Amino acid sequence: LGMTDLLTGKKLEKMDYEGKVLILDVWGTWCPPCRMEIPSFVKLQEKYREKGLRIVGLTFERGPMDDNAKKRVTDFASEQKINYPLVIASPELVSNLEVQSFPTTIFVGRDGAVAERITGLHPYEGLERIVAPMLKK
């Protein structure tokens, strides 16, 4: 994957995600709906980690990803008790993922194929309704 977790400094290894259900959350600290949705992802990760759910937050900050931006992200992460890796989403990655609005959430099945893609703020129940059946496959 070649990405490093902003919170732990660890590299994300492909083998940690193979055969898992993956949620990619493209978000930024500057985006109120993104911030409001984070507690739902924390709760999903807690509830479904053992069943094979992995979440990665693709963090897109406006302006340069300098120490100030990183501090904004890590402060927010500790405040929200984020329990999954956050990686810096480059403008190229955001463009390759065809992200038009924030947040954008991409659900990837155990087979590695994108199963669902949603934009905007969704309640916990809505997110769980997508992910729970995917974990049963």
Side-chain angles (χ1 to χ4, degrees):
L1 291 170
M3 296 181 191
T4 303
D5 184 353
L6 266 178
L7 307 179
T8 64
K10 287 191 184 130
K11 284 225 175 303
L12 273 56
E13 301 293 341
K14 193 172 180 210
M15 63 189 188
D16 296 337
Y17 296 89
E18 283 173 350
K20 307 285 190 221
V21 170
L22 176 63
I23 294 177
L24 297 172
D25 174 39
V26 187
W27 75 293
T29 58
W30 49 270
C31 156
C34 300
R35 296 170 71 104
M36 287 163 63
E37 202 172 39
I38 295 286
S40 295
F41 291 124
V42 170
K43 197 168 149 188
L44 282 170
Q45 186 63 96
E46 256 165 39
K47 184 169 177 182
Y48 293 110
R49 171 177 277 285
E50 295 307 308
K51 294 192 168 84
L53 177 64
R54 296 292 178 269
I55 299 175
V56 176
L58 300 176
T59 308
F60 184 74
E61 293 299 297
R62 293 194 163 140
M65 197 60 186
D66 56 14
D67 289 344
N68 288 339
K70 286 180 184 161
K71 184 172 173 7
R72 257 196 326 273
V73 173
T74 53
D75 286 354
F76 180 75
S78 74
E79 194 181 290
Q80 294 293 325
K81 300 183 174 48
I82 290 181
N83 54 0
Y84 52 85
L86 295 179
V87 299
I88 297 167
S90 64
E92 297 78 40
L93 179 62
V94 168
S95 158
N96 290 344
L97 291 173
E98 296 172 10
V99 172
Q100 306 293 324
S101 62
F102 294 83
T104 291
T105 308
I106 301 166
F107 296 82
V108 180
R110 293 186 191 275
D111 59 359
V114 172
E116 183 89 39
R117 184 190 174 100
I118 58 177
T119 56
L121 173 63
H122 291 266
Y124 173 82
E125 295 71 26
L127 298 167
E128 189 178 46
R129 232 187 335 269
I130 295 170
V131 90
M134 290 176 68
L135 288 162
K136 292 193 175 109
K137 286 182 183 165

